[in-house]
Amino acid sequence: MQAVAVKIEEEKDYLTELDNVIGDGDHGINMARGFKAVEEKLPSLAGKDIGIILKGIGLQLVSNVGGASGPLYGTAFMKAGAACTGLVSMDAVAFVQAMEAAVQGIEMRGKAHEGEKTMLDALCPALKALRHGVDSGKTAKAALADAVAAAEQGVAYTQTIIATKGRASYLGERSLGHQDPGATSSLYILQTILAHLS
Amino acid sequence: MVGIVVVSHSQKLAEGVVELAGMMASEVPVAAAGGLDDGGLGTSFEKISNAVNRVYSDDGVALIMDMGSAVMTAEMVMESMEDRKIKMIDCPIVEGTVIAALEVLSGTSLEQLQEKVASAGEKKF
């Protein structure tokens, strides 16, 4: 999570730039503020079980992001935490369950689905690829690599569709040709988890 | 009396809406929950929770939001206060809040409020 915070901080300006075009231009700033608060909270969560850690992260995001990604990512981490209650380590199956809960949480909170030019366009294909990989006996790392590849394609796909959810939906056709900032930050989070998976 | 919380991305807008409602219904407890804790644009879980606490009574609290994260953050505040009587009202934030405050003043309950402000988005001329 520390690495995610670093990555988000590094990409802050780019995420904001993407959001400037089709949104309200605060995604990078908001995400960086939220994950900085997460980073500061991590020491007090050390040694706790994974469920408590993920819920703690979610609460920090809800309280500190300030934009739509706060309740969305916040809900995602809190639901993932609920799916990991009591766990002190995580295998591939548990990771799939956590991510399933996270994606369902985002769908519930945002009343959104895949194909509306949102973070779900990165996360839903990623989840599908992850689940497929784990079901077919791949290692967690290999399955997550598939998930990241699927999320990359999902992010590229957001350029080709019109936004029907979120602030960008007010732009209608003018949102066409632009990459979704939320899908992009979701990809960064998955990429960072993959890079730090032993 | 039902309390009202105005949730907006902008602190100025939330405070302005409270000011407008107060012009016609100053007896009604209406609280602003606008902007981030530092006054910047966005919605704050903390500010909304505090505003609910300020105007809460057994009659409950109506939340009136602008858009996007205001709605989602309000939803999360409600979930964190499950034992309390809180409802989100779907209406234009300015007209809806003024009408809601007037309704509350004339004794409309939290349950009836949504129906009473339903016309708030209708044509002005």
Side-chain angles (χ1 to χ4, degrees), chain A residues 24 26 30 33 59 62-72 74-75 78 108-111 167 170, chain B residues 9 36-38 40-46 66-77 79 88:
Chain A
D24 47 5
D26 59 5
N30 285 346
R33 181 174 47 232
L59 270 176
V62 172
S63 302
N64 292 287
V65 170
S69 43
L72 291 169
T75 302
M78 284 158 79
M108 179 270 293
R109 180 70 60 213
K111 296 174 186 64
R167 203 64 76 85
Y170 298 145
Chain B
H9 281 64
L36 298 175
D37 298 338
D38 64 3
L41 289 173
T43 49
S44 155
F45 185 88
E46 197 81 25
D66 58 9
M67 53 194 154
S69 69
V71 179
M72 290 189 278
T73 310
E75 218 172 74
M76 295 198 81
V77 168
E79 287 168 16
M88 296 198 293

Side-chain angles (χ1 to χ4, degrees), chain B residues 54-77:
Chain B
R54 281 206 302 281
V55 297
Y56 194 81
S57 73
D58 289 344
D59 293 327
V61 165
L63 301 178
I64 300 181
M65 305 74 55
D66 58 9
M67 53 194 154
S69 69
V71 179
M72 290 189 278
T73 310
E75 218 172 74
M76 295 198 81
V77 168

Side-chain angles (χ1 to χ4, degrees), chain A residues 83-147:
Chain A
C84 296
T85 306
L87 291 186
V88 288
S89 71
M90 211 175 198
D91 59 11
V93 174
F95 190 81
V96 172
Q97 283 167 353
M99 186 149 166
E100 242 158 25
V103 171
Q104 281 167 9
I106 292 172
E107 288 173 336
M108 179 270 293
R109 180 70 60 213
K111 296 174 186 64
H113 306 283
E114 199 178 344
E116 295 174 323
K117 202 178 180 101
T118 71
M119 54 176 76
L120 289 172
D121 292 315
L123 292 172
C124 290
L127 173 61
K128 262 175 245 159
L130 180 76
R131 198 191 289 129
H132 183 260
V134 171
D135 285 350
S136 56
K138 287 192 179 176
T139 64
K141 189 145 192 164
L144 190 55
D146 291 350

Side-chain angles (χ1 to χ4, degrees), chain A residues 35-59:
Chain A
F35 276 94
K36 186 168 177 18
V38 167
E39 209 178 356
E40 286 164 2
K41 180 81 181 171
L42 287 178
S44 71
L45 294 170
K48 302 267 184 358
D49 73 60
I50 296 173
I52 292 175
I53 294 173
L54 290 175
K55 280 186 207 165
I57 290 167
L59 270 176

